[in-house]
Amino acid sequence: MKRVWQHPPEPTTGKRYWTSLGQLTGSETSKNLQDREFQDGAEYMKDEEEMETSRRTFLKLMSASTAMAGLGLASCRRPETYLKPYSKMPEWVIPGKILYYATAMPRAGGGTPMVVHTSEGRPTHLQGNKLHADSNGGLDSQAQASVLGLYDPDRARAYSNFGKPSTRDDFFKFLDTKKKELAAAGGKGLAILTDEIVSPTRLRLIGELQKKFPAAKVHRYEAFGPANVRAAYTKAFADGVMPVYHFDKADRVFALDSDFLGLDRVGGQSVGQFMSGRKANTSADPMNRLYAVESNYTITGGMADHRMRVHASQAIKVAAKLAELIGAAMGDAALTAAAASVKTAGYQAGRDDYDIWMKSAAADLVAAKGKSIVIAGSQQPEAVQLLTAAINQALGAFGATIELKQTGVTAAQTGSLADLAKDALAGTVDTLLIVSEADPSFQAPADLKWPAAQDSIKTVIVHSTRHRTATARKASWAVPATHYLEQWGDTRGFEGTYSIVQPMILPLFGGVSDHELLNALLSNEDTPPAKEFSMAPAPMGTVEDPGPGYKLIRDTFAAVVAGSNDDLWNNALRDGFVANTAYPAAAASFNAAPLSALASVPDVAPPSIAAMELTFLPCAKVADGRYINSAWLQEAPDPVSKVTWDNAALISVKTAKDLKVDLQAVDKVNVISVEIGGVVRYYPVIVIPGHADYAVTLTVGYGQRGTGAEGPGRVGQGTGFDVYGLRTSATPYFAAGAKVSLLPSTVTEGLDKWTDHKEITEVWPLGVTQEHHSMYGRALVREGTQEDWKQEADFVMEQGTDGNLHGGRKEKEAENAFTFYKPVGAKKEDGTREPHLNDDLHQWGMVIDLNSCTGCTSCLVACQSENNIPVVGKDQVIRGREMHWIRMDRYFATDLDSDAAGNGRKVENVPFSDDNVWNEDEMDDPSMLVEPVGCQHCEAAPCETVCPVNATVHSPDGLNVMVYNRCIGTRYCANNCPFKARRFNFFDYNKRNPLVEKSIGGLKFNNLYAGPLGDRGDTELGKLQKNPNVTVRMRGVIEKCTYCLQRIEGARIDARSHARKDKSREQGKYDETLEISKQDLRIPANGVKTACQEACPAEAIHFGNILDKESDVVKAKANSRNYELLGYLSVRARTTYLARIKNPNPELIAASPREAKKVGQGSKTRPIALNGHAPAHH
Amino acid sequence: MAEAAHDSHHPHAGGPSHAKVLLREPLVLNNRSYSWVTDRICGIVENPQPKGWWFIIVPCVALVAVMAFCFTYLVSTGVGVWGPNHPVAWGWDITNFVFWIGIGHAGTLISAILYLTRQKWRTAVNRAAEAMTIFAVMCAGLFPALHVGRVWMAWFLAPIPNSNAIWQNFKSPLLWDVFAVSTYFSVSVVFWFLGLVPDLATLRDRCKPGIRKIAYGLFALGWRGGNRQWRHYEIAYGLLAALSTPLVLSVHTVVSFDFATSVVPGWHTTIFPPYFVAGAIFGGFAMVLTLMIPVRKIYGLQDLFTMKHIDNMAKIILLTGTIVGYAYLMELFIAWYSGSLYEFDAFKWRILFGPYTLYYYAMFFCNVIAPQVFWWKKMRENLLVVMIVCMFVNAGMWYERFVIICTTLARDALPGAWDMYHPSWVEIWTFIGTFGFFMMLFLLFLRFLPVIAIAEIKGVLPEADPHYDPSKTKGDNIVPAPVYEGDRHETPAPASAPLPSGAAPA
């Protein structure tokens, strides 16, 4: 009120304006009046006398009452957050509307083309790019989760010089000086270490660098890469030749220790191609057949029609046996000779029917020559690769099912990590530039003495997006790299199609791309200083100035694409790739000469209890360790072992028994000690039925040291155990002669050398999401052989509870759907329907084809990304509280009632026992079945009737919807859900970081348990990934699969708003008055895809409108393999399953009782008995 | 004489006169007078409490504090501080709810059904049993109210018109529960309070002026004991008894619907309503005995709460325990007979090789085997045995609820989703805390309200008979106390019975 208004000084010239004479004369009264902001009396309301309260009193009262209301009620209110509208709307950005951009994820061997969902400029979700020749639209879980990596708060954010924070300008000033020194020396002392990423721009820049610095050496390292395959194909064909598999053209596939459907990435769409040969619409449809020979149980082995357990070290003997049989059958003398030169004497793979098995498989491959593939795992040594190449050559696979492509990525161009270490120790490396996500200090084979090698290099520059790895912590310079979603780049698919990597967002933490860094080294000019942006920490590119990365890619584009122009470039950006840019076919023909080297391969004896075999594999979660800080991947259960947040040693049942491992253990498992070459490591152990005996499978990547960003990141710290320490360059993938024993007591000694754990106890807690491995005779996953299907079209309805019903499918389904009440959703006499299913246009349904599903868990991560599903941490997983809306049930299976077995061995089904007894044969070599289970959207949903507050209800289009706002969390629905598809948010998982340990008064708490005293609040980064169209659920409510309701609603809105336009288009002109019928508002067939469906590389999930006869889901439901899970409950689930079909070799099952038993042809009940543990008795 | 009283059920064991042989065993022993009854019962309230009272209530209050802390922690932090997980979404919370609700059954059964069927022996028991009912229902109510994920939204359960125009789901048994339990609680409170009115007036009249007198006077609602008042009182009491009777059966029936109407194998069974009601009466009577046997001893109420009462209640425990045992066996039979693999498995794992088999055996022993000792009169007369069996029953009924809820949920339809449930310390202490809460309320009840219905028990004295002739009560017609009572206290002269804790009679 008393504020004095400072009037601007009066102009001394020009016109003068005055309001009163007082002002004109400059009287004191007038001046006082003018200086006040409000004139006298302004604080009083007009006609104050007539009012009961003056303005002042009113304000006083108001403020007092507001204060009191605040005092009394403030604590009861929800925390308030504000929406900030754009003051200037960017073009194309509509809140809640997803924009799609094509890009690609550069990866070893071949990039993954993808379409990025962006929302208000933030990439939120990824899907495969179906247009690309090397993709069918599916995406594996690691690619799917890479979007979270963009927002990883622990990833490289700043430049550092010997651990001290530095700046971009300092680094480039250093680099500018350095490159001049190096140029002067002709590049002497310069070494560059890269990964196996196939980027034409990177190859071009490296090529130019090699020209500029002729003495510089380029090395390539990938812990698990195609190096062995490349070496073998270089010898057998020519340098740079690589096989590109066409599983869709193969009728018979023989996978020799190859997880080509899982982690052994040999093609962009191996899974899709393979599954296209198994799309069994009718029993008459031809199906491919898969033989799998492997040590560990992989998802490829799970899909196999015939699987044999063979140690990784013995795969060469199986290859030789196969070569021998095929060589004889095909009359291929070179192959026969090569096979004979391999030492296989007496090898039987530990089974009596080995010869029959191999003979049948070989005969089958020969019969399908020209339509068969024999594939050896990338980790198999050169000898095995050569042998399989020779077999494929004999079978006429090259040119038919396997294309030989000249990739131009030659072995000759580069050295290995071993060469680099040798050079470094010899003191010939002065400057090392590491452009790779690999972490040699952690990953390098122990015998390379990498840490010493790195120490002997004067300048080590590490360029990576990762947290500060062991390598980066010791490096001279750590340079933050851009994530692929924030940079310009390019990559090729496995078959060579050229893809553009375009940025979705400005770099969140600055950083440079690999191309920019290499270019800076290459350029003769000094790097310009960083430009200051007001919003972004460092510039990357704008529309006006797309940055140096853009120009580099444009240059490569011009070289790769003939007649390159802006239109072609824009098309490439739109599509994400350039068509017809695949690698050229290799001209070389097969050279059998290198096969002679097979004779010199030493014979490795099969392992025994005293000298076990170790197999090192990449992890389904963290790969070679690079995804250690990805919470989604950490929590996605391993497809087979179902372990989260850790790696475990996988062993067979027999080995477990011999080692006296507690087979009953659930949450706390035994720990084994593994010693090889004097190195000792300890691992918690998981028993995997079907694993090779006396072999231990260890997945790498875990056990990275350090805390937070100065280590594997806050998510990854303290997870798992180191495996790399056991690897040497001689035994990178498997090693013989390991001493394995049960850890008798807690270990504290010597741990500081390799782990951050202070002690390792004899039992170790493991977060395993599935504790029971048997279906307990329940026919949940139904399967039959192709023969079964031919015999009985509706064989699925003869299994399980449905088998007890009378009549054919129709009668059985009617009986299952029987109700005393009026059938829900049935049309009434007046033609209307029950209100909750009265949408005549849309009724949603889903079909999951178990014949295609491998169990890879890609759907699970896609769902997590799309639906803002929180992670809960290891402790909560142990407590059984994981939040995944779709879970992947995995069962092991042996057939109980197959008469075909006839081997006189009866599986004892002891009445009243928890499980069938542990019959050696059943336990040792079962088959594996997987089944994704989410909300089944029952028409008569048991969850809906029991909710007291109507929080879960049915929508008119047949969805079981969850009203989060209404839910009070009685959890009754979760109890009554027969599928256990409902998830309860036990803590504020979205708000309270479960990975933080909170110390309160000296007591350590998991942050979740610290309650109101714990840390709250998601990081801003974490929020950026959230899908704005999906509610971020709070604690205390149930959540579950919605069939991606947000996508359905989006499509419905589109259908409504486009109806007139679409109809006009049909008529040829826009017509305002056009009659729009109700039918015009229907979403086009297959117009909505759920996130899981979109992500599935096997195309196992069909979703759509079951009222639309054109939709895939209707066709899938018409398949006679269709059955409802727990159909006997009469819940009328909208999600149904298609039974698994096996295509066994009839000759093999006729000849081998054991194999016949395993296949279980003619089995009706398929009560499958196998359990990892008997329950603990309390 | 002594012989006759020793076993009044055997007419041939009788005494000299035929008339005496037919005499019923008296409900109040030692020929106590009206004034003795009043003095004795009011004395508990009017005199300082024995040391034992303090020894119990102090830890109980501490337990209430623990319970309050546990609930605060639960609500402030999330249901995750308890043990439930994804297949087992209910653990000790609903187990305890059903347990306490079950205990709350005996009270209204005694006060309403036994009243309507003119079982006069109820008079000595009903007040304490009703109090126990109310306190047990209060304990029970805590669990469903606080086990929900968003307690602050629990008012959604109440049919309050709101701007969303969303009503409750009247198909949900959980909502029926809300109505059933709240109705049961409110009717029980009203019934209890109505019965208390004449006794409150007695206390009021015996008080010195002061706060107590005002308080008792306030709640006595101006009771003067006039003829009209008694007439209205009797009508109201009878009506409320009739209203409560169906509630006895409905509450636990509705609670059982929580399970019976579900599709979970092991829950989905029609036997649940009668089996739950029988179990509730069973557990409720056991709890009444558990509380009243010490109370009668400590406060010297043996003449009012006699061995006859204990005998009757032990027989009811035997009967209902056997019904419960029949239900257990019938469940197993039906699981087998149904031919349903899922149902059979559920029960197979309950009894053999399942994760919680020991709980099943504990339940079976406590609820079915242990009460069988009550076939023997000697055992019913041995208060130590009765106490031990009642303790078994109390524990057994908790096990029963745990077996039904947790073993079933841990293994239902899809083995891929199975997981074990383990309670957390918060859950365990919450449950222990509710015992403290229950005991605290009961001890306060003993302290402030007449534990036995004074007015009612006078009605079963011989003096209440209109044909009672005081002159005949002398000599041979004095009915002495039965001698079979093991723990019988000294029988003093009726007029000068010393009060416990040495207090002078008022």
Side-chain angles (χ1 to χ4, degrees), chain B residues 202-278:
Chain B
T202 307
L203 281 169
R204 173 198 64 198
D205 295 345
R206 288 164 63 97
C207 274
K208 284 188 207 124
I211 293 171
R212 279 171 77 99
K213 196 167 186 97
I214 293 169
Y216 284 126
L218 211 60
F219 286 107
L221 305 178
W223 181 265
R224 287 283 170 270
N227 213 5
R228 272 167 65 108
Q229 283 187 334
W230 273 113
R231 208 161 67 86
H232 291 153
Y233 170 85
E234 291 287 354
I235 292 169
Y237 200 78
L239 284 174
L240 273 174
L243 190 65
S244 309
T245 301
L247 290 179
V248 177
L249 303 175
S250 73
V251 177
H252 231 53
T253 301
V254 168
V255 169
S256 82
F257 286 164
D258 283 348
F259 309 104
T261 61
S262 75
V263 297
V264 183
W267 282 7
H268 181 70
T269 138
T270 48
I271 203 173
F272 267 17
Y275 151 37
F276 267 54
V277 171

Side-chain angles (χ1 to χ4, degrees), chain A residues 892-911:
Chain A
F892 290 108
T894 48
D895 189 58
L896 287 181
D897 71 345
S898 168
D899 298 330
N903 57 0
R905 198 169 29 217
K906 193 174 171 295
V907 180
E908 291 174 70
N909 189 356
V910 181

Side-chain angles (χ1 to χ4, degrees), chain A residues 296-297 621 638 640-644 646-653 655-656 659 661-663 665-672 683-692 695-699 742 764-771 773 890 892 1172:
Chain A
N296 176 33
Y297 222 131
K621 291 166 280 170
D638 179 276
V640 179
S641 71
K642 297 290 161 193
V643 176
T644 61
D646 265 304
N647 58 343
L650 311 179
I651 57 171
S652 77
V653 177
T655 317
L659 289 174
V661 166
D662 180 9
L663 294 162
V666 185
D667 294 332
K668 288 197 163 188
V669 299
N670 283 119
V671 174
I672 53 169
Y683 304 102
V685 60
I686 288 277
V687 181
I688 300 288
H691 195 283
V696 183
T697 297
L698 299 167
T699 50
L742 199 61
W764 196 261
L766 273 191
V768 181
T769 58
Q770 189 178 344
E771 296 175 355
H773 310 326
R890 182 268 294 112
F892 290 108

Side-chain angles (χ1 to χ4, degrees), chain A residues 295-327:
Chain A
S295 172
N296 176 33
Y297 222 131
T298 66
I299 57 177
T300 306
M303 287 312 292
D305 298 299
H306 294 287
R307 176 181 181 273
M308 182 161 65
R309 298 184 296 154
V310 161
H311 299 104
S313 65
Q314 308 298 307
I316 188 165
K317 297 180 185 176
V318 176
K321 177 88 180 172
L322 195 65
E324 176 199 319
L325 293 163
I326 289 173

Side-chain angles (χ1 to χ4, degrees), chain A residues 3-40:
Chain A
R3 227 168 72 199
V4 175
W5 176 248
Q6 298 299 330
H7 291 277
E10 283 199 24
T12 45
T13 55
K15 239 181 195 174
R16 189 169 186 201
Y17 297 90
W18 42 272
T19 54
S20 64
L21 279 172
Q23 191 194 355
L24 187 64
T25 55
S27 78
E28 272 308 302
T29 335
S30 160
K31 224 173 174 180
N32 278 342
L33 275 171
Q34 281 186 351
D35 283 349
R36 299 185 62 162
E37 187 180 2
F38 297 104
Q39 299 296 306
D40 264 346

Side-chain angles (χ1 to χ4, degrees), chain A residues 887 974-983, chain B residues 86-87 264 409 412 417:
Chain A
R887 67 167 195 273
N975 286 337
N976 209 26
C977 173
F979 309 98
K980 289 288 167 279
R982 294 180 151 259
R983 299 283 177 241
Chain B
H86 279 137
V264 183
L409 290 175
D412 68 339

Side-chain angles (χ1 to χ4, degrees), chain A residues 404-680:
Chain A
L404 290 168
K405 294 275 195 184
Q406 178 51 258
T407 61
V409 182
T410 59
Q413 288 168 349
T414 53
S416 67
L417 187 69
D419 301 337
L420 176 60
K422 210 188 291 164
D423 289 353
L425 287 170
T428 59
V429 184
D430 172 63
T431 307
L432 171 64
L433 175 62
I434 301 178
V435 183
S436 168
E437 297 295 293
D439 176 10
S441 288
F442 172 62
Q443 294 176 338
D447 57 317
L448 297 188
K449 301 194 174 51
W450 177 263
Q454 188 177 334
D455 286 347
S456 61
I457 302 170
K458 209 175 118 202
T459 310
V460 179
I461 303 164
V462 176
H463 174 263
S464 158
T465 61
R466 282 180 67 181
H467 46 81
R468 283 166 60 74
T469 59
T471 313
R473 288 201 289 276
K474 284 172 75 184
S476 326
W477 287 94
V479 180
T482 45
H483 190 272
Y484 75 92
L485 289 170
E486 47 182 32
Q487 71 176 43
W488 283 103
D490 57 5
T491 179
R492 283 189 185 273
F494 279 90
E495 31 63 82
T497 300
Y498 181 67
S499 296
I500 312 272
V501 177
Q502 59 172 325
M504 300 294 137
I505 189 168
L506 282 173
L508 291 168
F509 312 123
V512 289
S513 73
D514 51 343
H515 305 131
E516 289 166 327
L517 183 63
L518 292 173
N519 187 53
L521 191 60
L522 189 65
S523 162
N524 290 323
E525 288 149 35
D526 284 352
T527 314
K531 270 186 275 178
E532 284 304 321
F533 265 63
S534 54
M535 296 295 284
M540 161 69 208
T542 60
V543 180
E544 298 79 36
D545 173 17
Y550 173 80
K551 194 180 168 297
L552 292 168
I553 305 304
R554 273 307 292 258
D555 289 351
T556 313
F557 182 80
V560 170
V561 181
S564 147
N565 57 27
D566 279 355
D567 283 349
L568 285 176
W569 170 254
N570 288 337
N571 282 348
L573 284 187
R574 188 195 59 201
D575 297 344
F577 66 95
V578 185
N580 304 321
T581 46
Y583 295 130
S589 59
F590 185 70
N591 171 18
L595 289 172
S596 60
L598 291 173
S600 59
V601 176
D603 184 15
V604 180
S608 65
I609 183 82
M612 292 216 200
E613 180 173 303
L614 305 181
T615 314
F616 309 114
L617 286 178
C619 178
K621 291 166 280 170
V622 305
D624 62 354
R626 68 182 60 186
Y627 302 128
I628 188 91
N629 208 36
S630 171
W632 291 351
L633 288 171
Q634 287 271 20
E635 200 152 297
D638 179 276
V640 179
S641 71
K642 297 290 161 193
V643 176
T644 61
W645 293 96
D646 265 304
N647 58 343
L650 311 179
I651 57 171
S652 77
V653 177
K654 189 170 190 308
T655 317
K657 282 180 176 171
D658 288 357
L659 289 174
K660 308 226 169 357
V661 166
D662 180 9
L663 294 162
Q664 329 261 318
V666 185
D667 294 332
K668 288 197 163 188
V669 299
N670 283 119
V671 174
I672 53 169
S673 114
V674 176
E675 190 205 330
I676 192 160
V679 183
V680 185

